[in-house]
Amino acid sequence: MTAPTGHTSGPFWGAVFVLAASVLWGTTGTAATFAPEVSPLAIGAVAMGAGGLLQALYAALSIGVHRSRLWEQWPLVSLGALAVAVYPLAFYSSMHLAGVAVGTVVSIGSAPVAAAVIERLADQKPLTRRWTVGALLGVGGAVLLSFAGHGPSGGAGSAAESWSTPAGIALGLVAGITYALYSWAAHRLIGSGVSSRATMGTVFGVGGLMLMPVLYFTGRPLVESWTNFTVGAYMALVPMFAGYVLFGWGLARVRASTATGLSLVETVVAAALAVFVVGERLPTAGWIGAATVLAGLFFLVPRAAAQGQPHRNQAALRRPSGPPAPAEGMLVQGKENAEGHQQNPGDSHPDHLAADARDNEHKAEQARG
C-alpha cells in the first residue's frame, strides 16, 4: 500500500482514512464470535501481535531511514508500544464479558475524552468548540447505544451478568485509554518528522513483539481448526494490518483527538453487525444512539473547503508558477522525499513548523511589496 499524496493529503482525507479504518475495526468483534473456543487473549494477541509484525515488515525500509530519530524518541516509542500491547487484551476481553456492542462502545467511546485530556496536559492544545460539540454527540450517542438494554438473544444468567458486565466495562475503559495513548504517541512521532509508515511500523512492531508470549501460551486453538485459523488470519491482515495503515495515514493529517473521535463510527458498525449477524438485540434507544454518533461525525470531520481550499489559494498567491515556495518546502522532510512520502501541511505538524511557514509567507509578501 502506497502512502497517498497530492490531492489526498489534506485533513479532510485524513478523516476519510480514519473512517475507513474504523469500518474495518468494527468487524473484529463479530469475526471473533466465529471462533468461540479461542480466548479473547488469543484473539487480541494474534490480531494486534501478528498485525503489528506485518506493519513492521511493511515499513522496514522506512524504519531504517528514520532509525536515528526513532531512537532519539525511544520513550515515546516505548509508551506507544506498551499501549499497543495492552489495548487488544483489554478490548477483546471487554467484548467477551460485556457483549460485542457494549464492549466496543465503551472502549471506543471513552477514547476521544482520554485523547483530549492527554493532548491538553501533554501538548497544551486547546479544544475547539466544533470538536467539543462533535465529541459530546459521539460519546453521548455511544453511551445511549451501550446502555440501551441490548444483549445476546438467548439471555445470560443474572448471576453471571452481575460481575461480567461491570468487569467488561472496566476493561473497556482501559482499552479506551490505551487506544488514546498509542494514537497520541504515533501522532507525536509523525509530527516530529518521522513518516507515518515508520511510526506505525515501529510502534506496532514493538507492541506486536510484546504480545508474542501471550500468543504462545494461549494461541493453540487457533491452529486446531480451519475456522479458527481463518478468523485469526482475517483479524491480523484486514482490520489490524490494513486498518492501521489507513489509521497511520489519517494521523499524519488530523489530531489524535480528532482521529479517536472519528473512530466512534466503529461502535455503529460493531453494533449493527452484532444485531444482524450475531443476533444481539438493539432497541429503539440504541438505534437513536447510533444515529447520534453519526450526527457527531458532521462536526468531527474537517471541512474540505474550509481547511484545504484556503491553503491552496494561499499557495497560488505565493507562486503563480515555478518551483515550490519556501514555506511549502519546509513542510516536506528530505528523507520523506526519498521514500516518496509527503507529510501533510495540516494540523499534524508541530507548532514551530506552522510558525516557520507563516514567517516565510510574511517574507514573501515583503519581497513582492
Side-chain angles (χ1 to χ4, degrees):
M1 301 175 71
T2 303
T5 57
H7 70 282
T8 60
S9 63
F12 173 79
W13 282 101
V16 172
F17 296 140
V18 172
L19 289 173
S22 301
V23 171
L24 295 181
W25 297 337
T27 67
T28 58
T30 297
T33 63
F34 288 97
E37 61 271 27
V38 181
S39 72
L41 296 181
I43 288 290
V46 72
M48 198 72 98
L53 295 180
L54 287 173
Q55 287 271 7
L57 182 63
Y58 167 71
L61 292 177
S62 184
I63 291 172
V65 171
H66 293 275
R67 61 185 180 277
S68 297
R69 183 162 290 179
L70 286 167
W71 180 252
E72 293 172 359
Q73 301 279 352
W74 71 264
L76 199 57
V77 171
S78 300
L79 176 64
L82 181 61
V84 164
V86 173
Y87 168 74
L89 305 181
F91 179 52
Y92 290 102
S93 296
S94 174
M95 288 193 295
H96 178 74
L97 293 172
V100 172
V102 172
T104 303
V105 165
V106 174
S107 300
I108 308 305
S110 60
V113 177
V117 172
I118 292 170
E119 285 187 349
R120 183 62 178 165
L121 295 178
D123 302 331
Q124 289 78 50
K125 287 186 176 180
L127 301 179
T128 66
R129 186 176 303 175
R130 182 181 177 86
W131 181 91
T132 302
V133 172
L136 287 175
L137 283 173
V139 174
V143 170
L144 185 60
L145 185 61
S146 175
F147 295 100
H150 59 274
S153 57
S158 58
E161 288 180 348
S162 65
W163 69 269
S164 64
T165 299
I169 290 174
L171 286 171
L173 293 174
V174 172
I177 293 171
T178 51
Y179 173 35
L181 269 176
Y182 71 69
S183 299
W184 171 79
H187 179 80
R188 190 77 176 264
L189 284 168
I190 293 170
S192 72
V194 182
S195 71
S196 64
R197 181 182 297 188
T199 294
M200 302 301 282
T202 302
V203 171
F204 281 78
V206 176
L209 285 175
M210 293 181 183
L211 287 167
M212 288 300 102
V214 179
L215 182 60
Y216 177 80
F217 287 107
T218 64
R220 184 174 180 178
L222 288 165
V223 296
E224 291 181 342
S225 75
W226 278 109
T227 300
N228 294 349
F229 180 81
T230 301
V231 168
Y234 169 81
M235 301 280 271
L237 289 171
V238 180
M240 296 305 155
F241 173 64
Y244 277 102
V245 168
L246 291 168
F247 190 64
W249 294 347
L251 281 176
R253 294 159 174 82
V254 296
R255 286 169 53 168
S257 57
T258 300
T260 52
L262 291 169
S263 65
L264 286 167
V265 76
E266 178 183 348
T267 65
V268 178
V269 175
L273 290 176
V275 170
F276 295 114
V277 179
V278 180
E280 295 188 5
R281 297 190 306 270
L282 191 63
T284 303
W287 292 112
I288 295 175
T292 304
V293 171
L294 294 177
L297 297 180
F298 172 79
F299 296 93
L300 292 170
V301 173
R303 296 176 181 176
Q307 297 194 31
Q309 191 64 37
H311 175 77
R312 290 192 294 270
N313 291 341
Q314 291 171 7
L317 289 173
R318 288 197 304 270
R319 54 174 185 90
S321 61
E328 275 186 276
M330 294 185 67
L331 296 175
V332 181
Q333 301 294 328
K335 293 178 180 178
E336 295 294 318
N337 288 338
E339 295 176 20
H341 177 83
Q342 181 179 352
Q343 293 290 349
N344 173 53
D347 59 2
S348 64
H349 291 282
D351 292 340
H352 73 273
L353 289 181
D356 289 343
R358 289 193 297 268
D359 183 61
N360 278 272
E361 289 179 19
H362 180 66
K363 290 178 179 178
E365 289 176 359
Q366 288 181 333
R368 288 196 307 271

